[in-house]
Amino acid sequence: MEYIIIAAAALLFSLVYFRIANHYNIVDKPNRRSAHSEVTIRGGGVVYPFVFLLYLAYGQIFSEVHPEDYLLFGLGLFLVCAVSFIDDLRGLSSKVRLIFQFMAVLFLFYFIQAAPTTPVFLIPVAVVITMGVLNAFNFMDGINGMSGLYSLVTLLSLYYINSSLTAFTDADFILYPAIASIVFLFFNFRKKAVCFMGDVGSMGIAFWIAALAGTLIVATGELKWILLLAVYGVETVITIIERLRLGENIFKAHRRHLYQLFANDKGYSHIAVSAAYAGIQLVINILVIFSDLAGSVLIPVVMVLSVAAYVLVKRQVKKQISRSL
């Protein structure tokens, strides 16, 4: 019953937000880099910080959730969401965004208590990687259903780990953002999306997933759990390298991601492409969860195979596109 109530509240909140967004013209207008052709509501991902507030309120009343335990997480989440929402509305420089993302990640690190278990010289590396995760979700959120479905697969994998392998957090702290993802997908995972996630959503859910994955890594001492984000990681890093090689500004909109080539140039449906990405990540998650290989072996094996497969597929797709021109 609890989850039905939360889903209904998130659904109602989204509908109210849509009316506000329409009134104040908070919309995404298509341009030559867009993967859509119609004006669509932007910022539907505000449902994530809203659901976090529901988690605190419902948990304090009906369970043993103590809001003060989530103060640092909440500060980081609302900081990154607020800055991202402002960026959705009027645009901010990449330097401003990165400064606030850095501050939010520091809150996250204090929340998951990473410092005591992380060598001092590795903390800057971990901060950079975490900021990379946030921006990877932002970069990959370009077609209908992509980040909503990918996030749902990741969250459900974390829920399985938490309930069946290692209890590292409150189960509802995983299920609430999963519910928010389902509600968002109801409006977004379709041929003609009602709304887009916006930076507020992609950054918000990325921050939440980073907190969960970080908590799991600290609790188990296993780095292999970073592979739960392997698909986004591989595509983002390789695309950044490609754009740097071409002398492009990596913070500017573009259409060089493989998923964009499939959706925009090859004409595959957004639904099919998004489902394929989520499905590939699910296969990797199953391998990571049930494999007996040590992380020192599993991580390089999965990453090498993923990079090789990505490069080969992207090269083949580019050749097909070139021949069709």
Side-chain angles (χ1 to χ4, degrees):
M1 188 63 181
E2 170 190 351
Y3 303 125
I4 295 175
I5 293 173
I6 298 304
L11 184 66
L12 179 61
F13 173 81
S14 295
L15 292 173
V16 171
Y17 172 74
F18 295 162
R19 291 181 66 89
I20 295 172
N22 273 320
H23 179 76
Y24 288 101
N25 201 36
I26 307 174
V27 296
D28 202 330
K29 298 178 180 179
N31 55 50
R32 65 185 182 88
R33 294 189 181 92
S34 301
H36 61 286
S37 57
E38 298 184 14
V39 175
T40 308
I41 293 171
R42 179 190 296 179
V46 293
V47 69
Y48 289 109
F50 173 72
V51 163
F52 173 66
L53 293 178
L54 291 182
Y55 171 74
L56 294 183
Y58 200 97
Q60 187 176 25
I61 297 172
F62 297 104
S63 64
E64 299 181 355
V65 172
H66 303 290
E68 61 272 17
D69 294 339
Y70 295 89
L71 175 62
L72 292 174
F73 172 82
L75 288 172
L77 177 67
F78 279 94
L79 180 61
V80 76
C81 285
V83 171
S84 298
F85 191 64
I86 293 172
D87 189 44
D88 282 331
L89 294 177
R90 53 181 295 179
L92 293 172
S93 72
S94 58
K95 291 181 180 179
V96 171
R97 297 199 304 271
L98 289 173
I99 289 172
F100 283 97
Q101 289 171 22
F102 175 75
M103 293 169 60
V105 168
L106 292 183
F107 283 128
L108 186 153
F109 269 56
Y110 277 107
F111 169 70
I112 66 176
Q113 300 179 351
T117 58
T118 306
V120 175
F121 69 93
L122 285 180
I123 290 179
V125 177
V127 169
V128 171
I129 291 175
T130 305
M131 291 178 66
V133 169
L134 300 186
N135 284 285
F137 271 73
N138 191 25
F139 294 154
M140 294 295 293
D141 181 39
I143 60 175
N144 298 352
M146 176 63 87
S147 282
L149 199 59
Y150 188 87
S151 298
L152 184 60
V153 164
T154 305
L155 289 165
L156 292 180
S157 298
L158 287 164
Y159 178 76
Y160 177 83
I161 295 167
N162 189 67
S163 60
S164 302
L165 300 181
T166 303
F168 63 92
T169 190
D170 175 38
D172 283 350
F173 193 54
I174 305 174
L175 289 177
Y176 273 53
I179 292 171
S181 294
I182 292 171
V183 170
F184 171 75
L185 285 167
F186 175 74
F187 297 108
N188 179 259
F189 192 53
R190 53 178 78 185
K191 184 176 181 180
K192 181 182 176 183
V194 175
C195 70
F196 294 147
M197 186 174 280
D199 288 0
V200 61
S202 58
M203 286 290 182
I205 188 56
F207 187 86
W208 206 323
I209 288 175
L212 290 168
T215 301
L216 175 59
I217 290 171
V218 170
T220 61
E222 289 276 3
L223 284 176
K224 70 176 185 177
W225 304 118
I226 63 173
L227 294 175
L228 297 178
L229 301 171
V231 172
Y232 267 21
V234 167
E235 171 131 7
T236 300
V237 171
I238 293 180
T239 304
I240 287 175
I241 292 173
E242 178 183 358
R243 297 194 71 203
L244 288 174
R245 183 173 57 83
L246 294 172
E248 297 178 355
N249 184 339
I250 63 173
F251 293 102
K252 295 290 185 180
H254 65 97
R255 295 178 66 163
R256 295 194 182 279
H257 282 293
L258 179 58
Y259 76 84
Q260 292 171 318
L261 298 180
F262 274 123
N264 300 328
D265 298 275
K266 295 285 291 179
Y268 287 91
S269 75
H270 291 199
I271 304 303
V273 176
S274 296
Y277 270 70
I280 293 170
Q281 184 61 67
L282 179 59
V283 171
I284 293 175
N285 292 356
I286 293 172
L287 174 63
V288 173
I289 290 171
F290 294 103
S291 175
D292 292 326
L293 291 175
S296 58
V297 176
L298 189 62
I299 293 174
V301 168
V302 171
M303 293 306 293
V304 168
L305 291 176
S306 298
V307 169
Y310 179 85
V311 170
L312 289 174
V313 171
K314 193 169 189 177
R315 182 177 299 172
Q316 185 64 29
V317 169
K318 283 185 173 181
K319 286 181 180 179
Q320 293 174 358
I321 293 172
S322 295
R323 284 198 294 265
S324 65
L325 296 177

